[in-house]
Amino acid sequence: MNFGHFDDEKREYVITNPQTPWPWINYLGNEDFFSLISNTAGGYSFYKDAKFRRITRYRYNNVPMDNGGKYFYINDGGTIWSPGWKPCKTPLDDYSCRHGMNYTVIKGAKNGIEAEVLYFVPLKTWAEVQKVSLKNNTDQSKKIKLFSFVEWALWNAATDMENFQRNFSTGEVEIDGSTIYHKTEYKERRNHYAYYSVNAPIGGFETDRETFFGLYNGFDEPQTVLEGGPRNSVAHGWSPIASHFVEVELQPGESKELVFVLGYVENEQDDKWESKNIINKTKAKATLERFNTAEKVDAALAELKAYWEKLLGVFTLNSKEEKLNRMVNIWNQYQCMITFCFSRSASFFESGIGRGMGFRDSNQDLIGFVHQIPERARERIIDIASTQFPDGGCYHQYQPLTKKGNNEIGQGFNDDPMWLILGATSYIKETGDFSILVEPVPFDNEPGTEVSMFEHLTVSFDHVVNNLGPHGLPLIGRADWNDCLNLNCFSNDPNESFQTTENKTEGSKAESLMIAGLFVVYGRDYVELCRKLDKNEEADRAQKHIDAMVEAVKQHGWDGEWFLRAYDYYGNKVGSDENEEGKIFIESNGWCTMAGIGMEEGMVAKALDSVKERLDCEHGIVLNNPAFTKYYIEYGEISSYPAGYKENAGIFCHNNPWIMIGETVQGRGDRAWDYFRKICPAYTEHLSDLHKVEPYVYAQMIAGKDAFKPGEAKNSWLTGTAAWNYYTITQYILGIRPTYDGLLMDPCVPAEWDGFQVTRTFRGTTFNIEVTNPNGVMKGVIELWIDGEKADGSLVPIIGKASCEVKVIMG
Amino acid sequence: MNFGHFDDEKREYVITNPQTPWPWINYLGNEDFFSLISNTAGGYSFYKDAKFRRITRYRYNNVPMDNGGKYFYINDGGTIWSPGWKPCKTPLDDYSCRHGMNYTVIKGAKNGIEAEVLYFVPLKTWAEVQKVSLKNNTDQSKKIKLFSFVEWALWNAATDMENFQRNFSTGEVEIDGSTIYHKTEYKERRNHYAYYSVNAPIGGFETDRETFFGLYNGFDEPQTVLEGGPRNSVAHGWSPIASHFVEVELQPGESKELVFVLGYVENEQDDKWESKNIINKTKAKATLERFNTAEKVDAALAELKAYWEKLLGVFTLNSKEEKLNRMVNIWNQYQCMITFCFSRSASFFESGIGRGMGFRDSNQDLIGFVHQIPERARERIIDIASTQFPDGGCYHQYQPLTKKGNNEIGQGFNDDPMWLILGATSYIKETGDFSILVEPVPFDNEPGTEVSMFEHLTVSFDHVVNNLGPHGLPLIGRADWNDCLNLNCFSNDPNESFQTTENKTEGSKAESLMIAGLFVVYGRDYVELCRKLDKNEEADRAQKHIDAMVEAVKQHGWDGEWFLRAYDYYGNKVGSDENEEGKIFIESNGWCTMAGIGMEEGMVAKALDSVKERLDCEHGIVLNNPAFTKYYIEYGEISSYPAGYKENAGIFCHNNPWIMIGETVQGRGDRAWDYFRKICPAYTEHLSDLHKVEPYVYAQMIAGKDAFKPGEAKNSWLTGTAAWNYYTITQYILGIRPTYDGLLMDPCVPAEWDGFQVTRTFRGTTFNIEVTNPNGVMKGVIELWIDGEKADGSLVPIIGKASCEVKVIMG
């Protein structure tokens, strides 16, 4: 069942039934000020850091689920309704929610009144703008009462929901004309406040939540709205909110527009006050000035759309697969950018409290957006590398506000360093900007410790080399990419986090075949980079380690039909046929086949066939099989999940592309495509009832075949899945792959595809690429034409021209 | 306005209007299994530790405020209602909530059906029992549908509201007959599960929250209840709940009773399973067996009432002040016991997450309950002392489950050690049990470090002696009792906790006059104890330090009209007439007058008069005056609060008794009584509209005269206020004071009181004490008669008899 449809022309998903199986959300803002908004206007805003600068309050996992947001209430002659259906839930005559690129438009109609709310964060603006359009479609004049609503969070989202002893006494506001200022704690150490305003005179306001709702009323029936007017409450402690009251008179057919602005301001410490206890409002007023008419708002929206037009235009696919075009051209790229902006911090599954920027996450995310915003990718790579230790080890996360490593989340995930090589080389391949390699970058953000970025890559490479186990395979450390495979943890205390509890790595024999494959893949990238830089001695040295690793994998990492997953603390096999549960895992088979290890011996094909036979199912490829049905203290968190969910045999979408790429290494485009389609949201839209989460973005996890409800998805939006699928479809299936020296044409598609066109802007040139497949092959380029000239091989070199016509003939 | 009334006969507060100005709650359980329950059945349960063993989920600061609890829903021919009004909010024909001693009875009636629910935790039971009585008062037979509801928390209350990535995949339940078992994470490291059962066959159940409510419905309209029957959902991940469905047929006039049990079980690690993935239910079934009939439940309630009868019977007042009798005999003692059980962990203002057992809190709480449960007080004192360091310093808190010091909350609050002397001497005075002093007690829970409890008192005393500042006054350390007066903190980062951030005590001159007074008062207790133990040399040594402190206070701590509060980091005065704001503080004036420092020079009377003049107001004595209106980095958190709230000139009820005792030292019974009455809940019941919180227990804070809403109270229930007021009224105003050698008779009352009677059980004897005041004095005993014999002085010595008649004549 569908709850809406794609509007590719407008780059929107249009929801027409408010009762989606889960809140279907969108993200506003892409630099400093951010909002999450559901299809019924639920959600919240924050500035840069979802934990430390939460602007509006949101309650996760509430009853009903998505409760609280940027609500508008209309009292039309006693009938109370909201344009987004919720929170009033008054049945509407018409409803739609259009989620577009960083904007959302929610429209509702009731009794001849149409109310549309446009929500977006204008470019370079520390504010969310809401344009409310009201139209009277009746033949009578109408006077309606409009109430806005936001609830202020007391800045720190964690203590906001814990420390009521303090919180219930600290709330402070200031009201100035049509603007309500939230200044809790501004008197003391904060240099920031928030505000909510409307570009019209108001008939009153509320700033005290209890006065607005009444102590016993829910979001669906605020006392003030029911009573038809506010009491002009001034919050002192308890829970400050901001609600404007505007009476709007509409003649038959008349429309009126109001602009609400929810903003954030930081002042200099010595410029905080206008007069004693009266905040300096200069910056807020300047922002309000920028959006004080509907026309200015429309212009800002047009700018935002132009911005996205440009971002998304770097890669455009035209194929016979409409759903694929939609994902590649719009939604997958959009999700990559959102993931860049939010990392794993704030979604309707991530509470914005627990997680900063991940070292490995951020590097992987980068492969999904580096072509769109290379300059911000560059900055991100330097930020990430600056948290590294001199031995190549890493904090697992860093805080977005301070950019410092977050020690609370631990260290010692031994795959982490290798991802930096992926991030840096991807950036250079996209941009040709080798200058990043000579940037001075500190260790652990310690001034004075700076070495070149290139040296960071070297210590990253060497971190694996210097941490090998008894089989010459990489020691797993705290865990590798699968941070639920905690081979050195041995946790038996339920209050311990598997991620941070003491890890018994001393004397451990736990080795990871996944890191082994990763090392071979990105080690080769490192070697290639060295050669490019004429550092041939270093390249030779590195190559020897890679060769040794390949041998170690063949000798100690092959289980007969697939690659082992790991050796545990005691040196026992994990992911072997000799195990009772968890006989085979996806990660090692993905990376070792991507690395082509044992290709000639048939290991790659055999491993991939085993994956197909044992891990594949209707909804995607599960992580391991059989699922664990009891707790293994020597494996840790993976065995703590119910069978079929998350790391315990769920379809962890992030890693499915590794198998897809492995299949392209083997040349099997049909299998790669089949896997791609299974987890691709546009292709599962009709399963929305089962799938639950948004049909326009990837979810981190789909319940696997061992689950109670296979196919049910969770943790949508913020997942490396977006980047990996985008990377895989564009670079390995469509096969348009940036290299240091040009764009490589290396498609690997189903034999029945007869071709496709791609427009790709790369190093200043727009390449119009036409791929044809006259012989119905899955892989192989027999002819390459560049601007009408036949070329050798399959590399399109860098040319200085603005545009270039490329023809690729497969065969 | 009143929302109910006291029923002293039954020891209940009876709420007759469900819409109280704030949820008015009660506590169930007094040993291991605990519940909080509001007057509309909101609240939750936990086992021992509100953070780590949260059994049911509760959302603080929700909209509506108190949303979620132990709800029953009735569907009577399509009319949906709840006995507690909420969550359905269907208007009831009758409603009452009776909060009694560790039990609550909520009764509602609608359309001729009466539904009464008794909630309590039976003694020595890891379960909450709910007896539902349904009665048909119509003349027609009725068939009603009853639905129970609890929502399981995923054990750790902190991660339960943060880590949805994991939580939404882990929920697991088992259904066996009429019992629903919650076994999330039991498969892995937990050895505990919870269950919810009913003593009747059920017509169905729900265990998946979304199925029960629907994604878009609130607590007020569960889909299952609206539809009139369940779908027998089995939770897999998302949010597990437990709801039974029972159809009940009632003939005209007929009553039926159902017993629901919400329990918790721990199993041995090797005895967790009945068979693979089927939990061992033996212990749950044994508990269910104990409460499988209404008769057994009634018997258990009778036992609980008998238990409280005995506890409260140790001190009984009969005076002409009905409200005072009610507080002394019932509610104040009850609150002291609740505070003993919960410390500061879980109330409707304390989220159960942030705070463990406080070192100073627990010692002070002890003076409120030591007469009721001396053996548990003894255990508590040893637990507390075991967290002390060898130099006398202390962790500020320890965790109730582990009893280990909690380093996250910090150390170095320099008043902490002195409170141990209060706790230990109060215990010995009550019981005569000097054996506690030779108990071996470790430092920092380190085995092998044990010294005698007496030595812990010595290092406590010496911790002050060894930490004196430039004026010979005690260094304040991180802070003293007022942990918002952070004189060494200098925090300018809003994400820092004032309690735990780095403290610049090195080289600091910050001294506390409050600790000075405290040291003199409890130092004298220490000296008295030493003499009692014939440790005269130690007594002499200690006395010298006390004498020096008295001199230091007189010389450096007197501001002319009152006692200074402190010297700050730089040696500047705090709480002096020369300050612009915060000229005078309550704490130092309380403790220095309690210590009688400068009595002969008139300092005590002068200081108390200044308190009266500058700090007293209609609703109590504010903490400081004038309130701080801006942030003082050198004072810290105190200046972060809005004026009139909390430590910034709020009426912090905990410290008001210090002034009351100070007034008794000066002999002014009228002032002491006046102060007592102002903050005593029974005396402010008629102000419930303004006061907001429960009229049967003390609140930590009442907004002071500088506040926006003076008289509004916050943070009810868990506060040292309970113990201090009980201690003050019984030992210093009524003046029945335990000493090592007997009961001292030292009343200090208003001159117009003509007397009162007290029954006090002490050292095995029940003393029936009659105090008369024929001459209308405030203080002074001129005659003492013991069992008809005239005695000298005012001490009633210990006698071996079961009962004893005492007559005290004031004059």
Side-chain angles (χ1 to χ4, degrees), chain A residues 345-384:
Chain A
S345 74
S347 73
F348 269 36
F349 294 88
E350 297 278 9
S351 61
I353 288 177
R355 304 184 72 194
M357 314 289 289
F359 193 97
R360 75 157 76 99
D361 292 339
S362 296
N363 276 300
Q364 292 175 80
D365 291 348
L366 201 129
I367 62 176
F369 67 78
V370 61
H371 64 292
Q372 296 178 308
I373 44 164
E375 63 293 342
R376 292 179 74 186
R378 189 183 204 274
E379 188 192 342
R380 174 75 47 103
I381 294 165
I382 292 169
D383 286 349
I384 297 168

Side-chain angles (χ1 to χ4, degrees), chain A residues 186 267-274 279-280 282-283:
Chain A
Y186 185 77
N267 280 330
E268 294 299 315
Q269 276 294 346
D270 56 5
D271 200 24
K272 281 172 70 169
W273 304 101
E274 192 176 302
I279 58 178
N280 180 346
T282 312
K283 291 184 187 175

Side-chain angles (χ1 to χ4, degrees), chain A residues 18-23 39-40 52-53 57 59-67 85-86 89 151 156 158 160-166 168-172 185 187-190 192 209-210 213 215-221 234 236-239 269 276-277 348-351 353-355 401 491-498 581 628-631 637 639-643 645-646 648 692 700-701 708 712-715, chain B residues 18-23 39-40 52-53 57 59-65 67 85-86 89 151 156 158 160-166 168-172 185 187-190 192 209-210 213 215-221 234 236-239 269 276-277 348-351 353-355 401 491-498 581 628-631 637 639-643 645-646 648 692 700-701 708 712-715:
Chain A
Q19 299 191 55
T20 48
W22 185 255
N39 57 306
T40 57
F52 290 116
R53 288 289 186 284
R57 184 172 286 152
R59 296 163 181 85
Y60 277 85
N61 196 15
N62 210 339
V63 177
M65 179 55 75
D66 174 29
N67 221 10
W85 181 61
K86 280 189 75 175
K89 297 203 296 170
E151 181 174 5
N156 180 323
D160 187 58
M161 57 183 188
E162 289 179 6
N163 190 2
F164 304 110
Q165 253 239 77
R166 176 171 166 83
F168 285 162
S169 286
T170 56
E172 291 186 287
E185 291 191 343
K187 192 182 78 169
E188 38 138 336
R189 298 167 297 171
R190 298 195 179 274
H192 44 267
R209 193 181 81 210
E210 192 180 319
F213 286 114
L215 193 61
Y216 291 95
N217 292 10
F219 284 103
D220 54 335
E221 42 178 17
V234 179
H236 293 269
W238 302 109
S239 295
Q269 276 294 346
K276 184 162 185 187
N277 289 333
F348 269 36
F349 294 88
E350 297 278 9
S351 61
I353 288 177
R355 304 184 72 194
L401 269 186
S491 171
N492 49 31
D493 174 355
N495 290 311
E496 271 173 1
S497 155
F498 287 98
E581 300 182 326
F628 297 108
T629 60
K630 62 189 185 75
Y631 181 56
E637 187 167 8
S639 59
S640 78
Y641 283 105
Y645 293 98
K646 294 282 288 176
N648 187 14
K692 277 180 97 97
Q700 176 213 58
M701 198 275 297
F708 174 73
E712 187 182 55
K714 292 176 186 177
N715 303 345
Chain B
Q19 300 191 56
T20 48
W22 187 256
N39 57 306
T40 58
F52 290 116
R53 291 288 187 284
R57 183 174 286 152
R59 296 163 181 85
Y60 277 85
N61 196 15
N62 210 340
V63 177
M65 180 54 77
N67 221 8
W85 182 61
K86 279 192 74 175
K89 298 202 295 169
E151 181 175 5
N156 180 322
D160 187 59
M161 57 184 189
E162 290 180 5
N163 190 2
F164 304 111
Q165 255 237 75
R166 176 173 166 83
F168 284 162
S169 286
T170 54
E172 290 186 287
E185 292 190 345
K187 192 182 80 170
E188 38 138 337
R189 298 168 297 171
R190 297 196 179 274
H192 44 268
R209 191 181 82 209
E210 193 180 319
F213 286 113
L215 193 62
Y216 291 94
N217 293 10
F219 283 102
D220 53 335
E221 42 179 16
V234 179
H236 293 269
W238 301 109
S239 295
Q269 275 294 347
K276 186 164 184 187
N277 290 332
F348 269 35
F349 294 88
E350 297 277 9
S351 62
I353 288 175
R355 305 184 70 193
L401 269 185
S491 171
N492 49 31
D493 174 355
N495 290 310
E496 271 173 1
S497 155
F498 287 98
E581 300 183 325
F628 297 109
T629 60
K630 63 188 186 73
Y631 181 57
E637 187 166 7
S639 59
S640 78
Y641 283 105
Y645 294 98
K646 294 282 290 177
N648 187 13
K692 276 180 100 92
Q700 177 214 56
M701 197 272 300
F708 174 73
E712 187 182 55
K714 291 177 186 177
N715 303 344

Side-chain angles (χ1 to χ4, degrees), chain B residues 333-510:
Chain B
Q333 286 203 69
Y334 181 57
Q335 187 178 4
C336 287
M337 273 296 289
I338 297 301
T339 309
F340 159 69
C341 295
F342 289 81
S343 192
R344 304 296 174 272
S345 74
S347 73
F348 269 35
F349 294 88
E350 297 277 9
S351 62
I353 288 175
R355 305 184 70 193
M357 314 288 290
F359 193 97
R360 74 158 78 99
D361 291 340
S362 295
N363 276 300
Q364 291 174 81
D365 291 348
L366 202 130
I367 61 177
F369 66 79
V370 61
H371 64 292
Q372 294 177 308
I373 44 163
E375 64 292 342
R376 292 179 75 185
R378 189 182 204 274
E379 188 192 341
R380 174 76 47 103
I381 294 165
I382 292 169
D383 286 349
I384 297 167
S386 302
T387 68
Q388 197 171 28
F389 297 110
D391 73 348
C394 312
Y395 290 108
H396 199 45
Q397 282 183 28
Y398 67 100
Q399 286 304 127
L401 269 185
T402 63
K403 297 187 173 175
K404 292 269 172 68
N406 183 354
N407 215 7
E408 283 170 34
I409 311 295
Q411 310 167 12
F413 295 78
N414 280 354
D415 64 316
D416 269 337
M418 288 311 293
W419 299 111
L420 185 62
I421 298 177
L422 165 66
T425 56
S426 296
Y427 168 76
I428 300 169
K429 286 176 186 169
E430 177 66 34
T431 59
D433 172 22
F434 285 89
S435 78
I436 192 175
L437 292 172
V438 296
E439 283 282 348
V441 179
F443 290 113
D444 197 8
N445 278 292
E446 200 60 60
T449 62
E450 291 81 359
V451 299
S452 72
M453 173 63 81
F454 180 80
E455 283 174 77
H456 276 270
L457 303 188
T458 306
V459 297
S460 291
F461 181 88
D462 284 342
H463 190 267
V464 174
V465 172
N466 295 333
N467 289 279
L468 296 178
H471 300 96
L473 295 166
L475 289 167
I476 199 166
R478 178 169 282 282
D480 62 24
W481 172 87
N482 185 344
D483 50 17
C484 292
L485 189 63
N486 316 110
L487 299 182
N488 299 312
C489 174
F490 298 96
S491 171
N492 49 31
D493 174 355
N495 290 310
E496 271 173 1
S497 155
F498 287 98
Q499 306 306 305
T500 57
T501 186
E502 205 199 332
N503 231 29
K504 301 181 178 63
T505 49
E506 196 73 42
S508 166
K509 297 178 180 170

Side-chain angles (χ1 to χ4, degrees), chain A residues 190-260:
Chain A
R190 298 195 179 274
N191 65 345
H192 44 267
Y193 62 77
Y195 59 95
Y196 192 38
S197 187
V198 58
N199 69 337
I202 56 176
F205 58 85
E206 300 288 13
T207 68
D208 175 63
R209 193 181 81 210
E210 192 180 319
T211 309
F212 183 69
F213 286 114
L215 193 61
Y216 291 95
N217 292 10
F219 284 103
D220 54 335
E221 42 178 17
Q223 184 174 273
T224 291
V225 178
L226 296 180
E227 289 175 355
R231 300 176 189 197
N232 300 339
S233 58
V234 179
H236 293 269
W238 302 109
S239 295
I241 62 157
S243 173
H244 305 93
F245 168 61
V246 185
E247 269 197 297
V248 182
E249 193 163 358
L250 293 167
Q251 298 309 314
E254 190 185 6
S255 293
K256 280 189 181 160
E257 290 174 323
L258 289 165
V259 180
F260 292 81

